[in-house]
C-alpha cells in the first residue's frame, strides 16, 4: 500500500481517502488528521456491539474483585468511545490498568485513542496532565500525535501548551522527526517571547506539627536534570538544546547557546560561544536571562539584528509539512489497519484462553463428581482403604508443655467435718 501511495500525486491521494484538499488548517491539512479513516474503526462489528456503560461497569467490578484488568479490554473501551459521555470513565479505567500487571502490554492504539478523544472533547488540561503523569496513566506521545497537538495549539496560539508537548518528546528522547523538531522550536521560541500559561509547580505543604518517622537511612538529595525538572525555563532550555545540537548553522548555534543558558549549563554555553566563527542571531540571544553568566560573554560575539526568526521558523515548518506529510499520512493509515488486525487477534486469543479455562474447570468438576459417586457405590468394598486415607489426612500436633504442674491435692476420704452447734443465749445479763 505504501508503494502505491508514493506513486500517486498528492491531490489524487487525498481525494482517494475522501478528504477535501482545499479546506486546509494552519500548517497541517485535513488529510493529515486522517479523521475519516480514524472514524472507520467504529464500523467494526466488534466495536458496534460494545455498550460502554455496561462494559465500564463490568471492568470496574472485575478490578474491584481481582485487582486485575486486561490491556485488550481497555483498548476496546478506548477505541469504542464516541461522544462526550464517558471521558472521566476513560481516564479512570486507564489509571486502573496502570496499577495492574498487564500494563506492560498496553497497545499504541490505546494511547492514540485517549489522546484523540480528550482532544476532541476539548479537555486540554486533562490531556496535558495525563501526558505529564506518565507513572499513573502510561500515555505516551508519538511523532504523529505530537504534530496534531502542536498544530492545534498553534492555531489557538497556546504556545505554552505546544511547548509542554515538545518537552514531553524531549523527556522521551524522541526528537528525530524534522517536522516535530521545527514545530517544537516554533512553540518554544514564541513561549519564551511571552512566557505565560505554564503551570506552577508547588511543593506539598509542610505539616504544622513535627512528625518523626523512623527510617533505615536517609537518601542524599539527587536531581537527574531530566525527569526531575520542574522549572519551565530549564525544561524549555533543554528541549531547545536537544533539538538544535546536531546542526551548526547560525540559527541552531544561537538556539544551542540559548538552551544551555536557560538550562543552567553556563560552562557548556561559554565553550560553544568560544568556538563560534559565524554571525549569530541577536533576536535569539536577547532571550537569555539578564542574571546569566552567558549574557556578558555573548556581548562580544558577532550578531545579526535584522533576522526575522519567527518567519524563518514558520517557513521551516511549512517546508517540513510539504516534505513529510504524505509519508506520515500513509504510515498512520497503515497503523490504523494494523491496530485493527491486532485487536481482533488478541480478542480471539483471549476468547480462546477463557474457553479453555472454562472447559478445564468443567472437566475438573466432572472428575470430582465421578469420584464422589464412585466412593458411594464402592464404599463397603473400599472401606478399609477409605479409613486409611482419612487417617493419613489427619494431622497430629505435638503436645505443648505448659511447665510443671502442682500435684493434685489428696482428699482424705475418712475426714469427718466437725459438728456445728447453734449457740444459745444464757438469758439477761445483770
Amino acid at each position: 500500500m505504501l508503494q502505491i501511495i508514493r506513486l500517486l500525486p498528492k491531490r489524487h491521494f487525498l481525494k482517494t481517502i475522501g478528504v477535501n484538499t482545499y479546506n486546509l488548517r494552519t500548517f497541517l491539512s485535513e488529510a493529515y488528521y486522517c479523521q475519516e479513516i480514524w472514524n472507520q474503526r467504529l464500523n467494526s462489528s466488534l466495536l458496534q456491539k460494545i455498550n460502554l456503560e455496561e462494559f465500564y461497569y463490568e471492568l470496574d467490578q472485575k478490578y474491584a474483585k481481582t485487582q486485575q484488568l486486561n490491556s485488550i479490554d481497555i483498548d476496546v473501551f478506548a477505541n469504542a468511545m464516541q461522544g462526550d459521555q464517558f471521558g472521566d470513565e476513560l481516564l479512570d479505567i486507564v489509571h486502573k490498568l496502570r496499577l495492574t500487571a498487564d500494563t506492560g502490554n498496553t497497545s499504541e492504539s490505546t494511547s492514540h485513542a485517549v489522546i484523540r478523544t480528550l482532544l476532541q472533547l476539548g479537555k486540554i488540561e486533562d490531556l496535558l496532565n495525563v501526558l505529564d503523569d506518565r507513572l499513573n496513566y502510561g500515555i505516551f506521545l508519538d511523532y504523529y500525535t505530537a504534530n496534531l497537538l502542536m498544530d492545534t495549539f498553534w492555531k489557538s496560539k497556546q504556545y505554552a501548551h505546544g511547548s509542554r508537548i515538545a518537552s514531553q518528546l524531549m523527556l522521551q528522547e524522541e526528537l528525530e522527526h524534522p517536522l516535530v523538531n521545527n514545530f517544537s522550536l516554533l512553540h518554544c521560541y514564541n513561549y519564551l517571547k511571552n512566557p505565560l500559561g505554564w503551570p506552577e509547580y508547588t511543593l506539598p505543604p509542610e505539616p504544622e506539627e513535627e512528625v518523626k518517622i523512623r527510617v533505615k537511612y536517609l537518601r542524599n538529595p539527587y536531581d537527574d536534570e531530566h525527569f526531575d525538572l520542574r522549572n519551565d525555563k530549564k525544561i524549555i532550555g533543554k528541549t531547545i538544546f536537544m533539538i538544535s545540537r546536531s546542526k551548526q548553522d547560525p540559527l541552531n548555534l544561537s538556539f544551542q547557546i540559548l538552551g544551555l543558558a536557560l538550562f543552567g549549563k553556563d560552562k557548556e554555553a561559554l565553550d560553544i560561544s568560544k568556538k563560534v566563527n559565524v554571525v549569530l542571531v541577536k533576536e535569539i540571544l536577547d532571550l537569555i536571562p539578564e542574571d546569566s553568566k552567558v549574557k556578558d560573554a555573548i556581548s562580544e560575539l558577532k550578531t545579526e539584528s535584522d533576522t526575522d526568526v519567527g518567519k524563518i521558523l514558520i517557513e521551516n515548518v511549512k517546508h517540513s509539512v510539504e516534505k513529510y506529510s504524505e509519508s506520515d499520512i500513509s504510515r498512520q493509515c497503515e497503523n490504523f489497519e494494523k491496530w485493527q488486525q491486532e485487536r481482533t487477534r488478541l480478542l480471539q486469543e483471549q476468547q480462546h484462553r477463557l474457553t479453555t479455562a472454562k472447559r478445564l474447570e468443567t472437566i475438573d468438576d466432572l472428575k470430582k463428581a465421578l469420584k464422589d459417586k464412585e466412593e458411594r457405590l464402592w464404599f463397603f468394598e473400599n472401606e478399609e482403604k477409605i479409613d486409611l486415607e482419612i487417617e493419613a489426612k489427619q494431622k497430629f500436633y505435638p503436645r505443648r508443655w505448659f511447665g510443671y504442674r502442682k500435684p493434685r491435692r489428696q482428699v482424705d476420704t475418712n475426714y469427718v467435718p466437725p459438728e456445728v452447734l447453734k449457740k444459745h443465749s444464757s438469758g439477761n445479763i445483770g
Side-chain angles (χ1 to χ4, degrees):
M1 178 180 178
L2 181 59
Q3 294 179 353
I4 296 175
I5 292 174
R6 287 177 176 174
L7 292 175
L8 291 175
K10 179 177 180 181
R11 294 191 179 277
H12 180 71
F13 168 69
L14 298 180
K15 291 179 180 179
T16 303
I17 62 176
V19 176
N20 184 4
T21 58
Y22 298 99
N23 187 9
L24 300 178
R25 295 178 179 268
T26 307
F27 287 114
L28 302 180
S29 65
E30 287 188 359
Y32 197 95
Y33 282 70
C34 300
Q35 189 62 45
E36 293 186 7
I37 303 177
W38 168 247
N39 291 336
Q40 290 178 7
R41 78 195 189 283
L42 299 174
N43 298 331
S44 169
S45 58
L46 168 66
L47 297 183
Q48 288 179 349
K49 296 177 182 178
I50 299 297
N51 185 315
L52 289 177
E53 184 175 359
E54 295 179 358
F55 193 35
Y56 171 75
Y57 178 77
E58 293 176 2
L59 294 176
D60 188 56
Q61 291 298 310
K62 180 181 179 181
Y63 179 79
K65 292 179 181 179
T66 65
Q67 299 296 307
Q68 293 296 326
L69 289 173
N70 293 326
S71 59
I72 182 60
D73 293 335
I74 309 305
D75 185 61
V76 170
F77 185 88
N79 281 273
M81 282 279 298
Q82 51 181 331
D84 56 353
Q85 297 180 357
F86 298 96
D88 295 335
E89 287 80 359
L90 175 62
L91 296 182
D92 176 64
I93 208 67
V94 169
H95 170 64
K96 289 177 178 176
L97 173 65
R98 192 63 174 170
L99 303 177
T100 65
D102 203 39
T103 183
N105 298 323
T106 303
S107 172
E108 295 178 0
S109 172
T110 305
S111 293
H112 188 93
V114 171
I115 293 171
R116 270 200 185 255
T117 299
L118 295 178
L119 181 62
Q120 291 176 358
L121 297 180
K123 296 186 175 183
I124 304 302
E125 288 299 329
D126 289 341
L127 172 59
L128 294 173
N129 292 334
V130 165
L131 291 174
D132 192 49
D133 195 357
R134 297 168 294 277
L135 182 63
N136 285 317
Y137 292 97
I139 301 299
F140 298 93
L141 291 167
D142 56 17
Y143 296 133
Y144 180 76
T145 51
N147 287 332
L148 295 185
L149 293 175
M150 285 192 284
D151 183 65
T152 302
F153 296 146
W154 172 258
K155 185 177 181 180
S156 58
K157 297 183 180 181
Q158 294 173 308
Y159 307 128
H161 293 348
S163 300
R164 291 176 67 180
I165 297 300
S167 68
Q168 291 297 324
L169 295 173
M170 178 273 293
L171 295 175
Q172 296 174 201
E173 299 185 3
E174 294 180 350
L175 293 168
E176 289 82 16
H177 197 292
L179 179 54
V180 166
N181 291 349
N182 290 325
F183 254 137
S184 300
L185 280 179
L186 181 61
H187 274 283
C188 291
Y189 174 74
N190 281 276
Y191 171 75
L192 290 174
K193 290 176 64 177
N194 187 21
L196 298 175
W198 197 281
E200 295 184 3
Y201 175 75
T202 56
L203 295 173
E206 294 287 341
E208 296 181 358
E209 298 181 359
E210 184 178 359
V211 179
K212 295 183 178 180
I213 303 175
R214 184 183 297 276
V215 295
K216 292 184 179 180
Y217 56 88
L218 292 175
R219 294 184 180 274
N220 294 327
Y222 178 73
D223 184 2
D224 65 356
E225 296 185 340
H226 196 73
F227 295 108
D228 293 334
L229 292 175
R230 293 293 180 269
N231 182 272
D232 59 330
K233 297 296 176 56
K234 287 190 174 183
I235 294 174
I236 296 295
K238 187 169 185 179
T239 303
I240 291 175
F241 172 72
M242 291 185 65
I243 293 173
S244 58
R245 62 182 175 180
S246 60
K247 298 180 181 179
Q248 300 300 318
D249 58 276
L251 182 73
N252 284 281
L253 282 172
S254 302
F255 273 122
Q256 289 179 37
I257 297 175
L258 172 62
L260 289 172
L262 293 174
F263 188 33
K265 301 294 181 179
D266 296 337
K267 182 178 181 302
E268 289 81 353
L270 293 174
D271 291 340
I272 293 178
S273 63
K274 292 177 182 178
K275 300 177 183 178
V276 169
N277 53 7
V278 295
V279 179
L280 299 178
V281 181
K282 184 177 184 299
E283 187 177 350
I284 297 175
L285 298 181
D286 287 343
L287 297 175
I288 297 177
E290 296 294 335
D291 56 350
S292 175
K293 298 179 181 179
V294 184
K295 192 72 174 180
D296 296 333
I298 62 173
S299 60
E300 303 176 358
L301 299 176
K302 296 180 180 179
T303 58
E304 186 177 358
S305 58
D306 57 348
T307 304
D308 191 346
V309 179
K311 183 178 180 180
I312 294 175
L313 294 177
I314 290 176
E315 291 300 323
N316 289 341
V317 173
K318 290 181 178 179
H319 177 71
S320 298
V321 169
E322 294 177 358
K323 187 174 181 180
Y324 298 101
S325 60
E326 290 188 17
S327 60
D328 288 352
I329 292 171
S330 60
R331 188 180 301 109
Q332 194 59 35
C333 292
E334 292 176 358
N335 285 336
F336 290 155
E337 183 178 357
K338 181 184 70 174
W339 291 342
Q340 180 66 28
Q341 295 174 355
E342 186 74 7
R343 189 179 305 118
T344 303
R345 182 183 65 82
L346 291 175
L347 283 172
Q348 291 175 350
E349 292 180 357
Q350 178 175 283
Q351 183 64 32
H352 177 70
R353 288 195 302 269
L354 293 175
T355 304
T356 303
K358 186 66 176 178
R359 287 178 179 175
L360 292 175
E361 184 179 356
T362 303
I363 292 173
D364 290 340
D365 294 341
L366 182 60
K367 289 170 65 177
K368 184 178 180 181
L370 290 174
K371 186 176 180 181
D372 294 341
K373 185 176 181 180
E374 182 183 4
E375 289 180 356
R376 290 195 301 269
L377 291 175
W378 301 93
F379 174 75
F380 294 103
E381 287 79 357
N382 300 324
E383 184 176 2
E384 294 182 359
K385 181 181 178 182
I386 294 174
D387 291 339
L388 291 174
E389 291 178 355
I390 294 174
E391 185 178 353
K393 293 179 181 179
Q394 292 180 350
K395 293 183 179 180
F396 298 94
Y397 298 97
R399 296 184 60 183
R400 297 178 62 186
W401 184 69
F402 295 97
Y404 294 105
R405 294 184 179 181
K406 294 181 179 181
R408 298 186 65 178
R409 186 174 181 181
Q410 298 295 330
V411 180
D412 187 1
T413 57
N414 298 324
Y415 173 74
V416 178
E419 185 177 358
V420 179
L421 299 176
K422 187 176 182 181
K423 226 173 184 184
H424 298 280
S425 60
S426 58
N428 295 331
I429 301 175

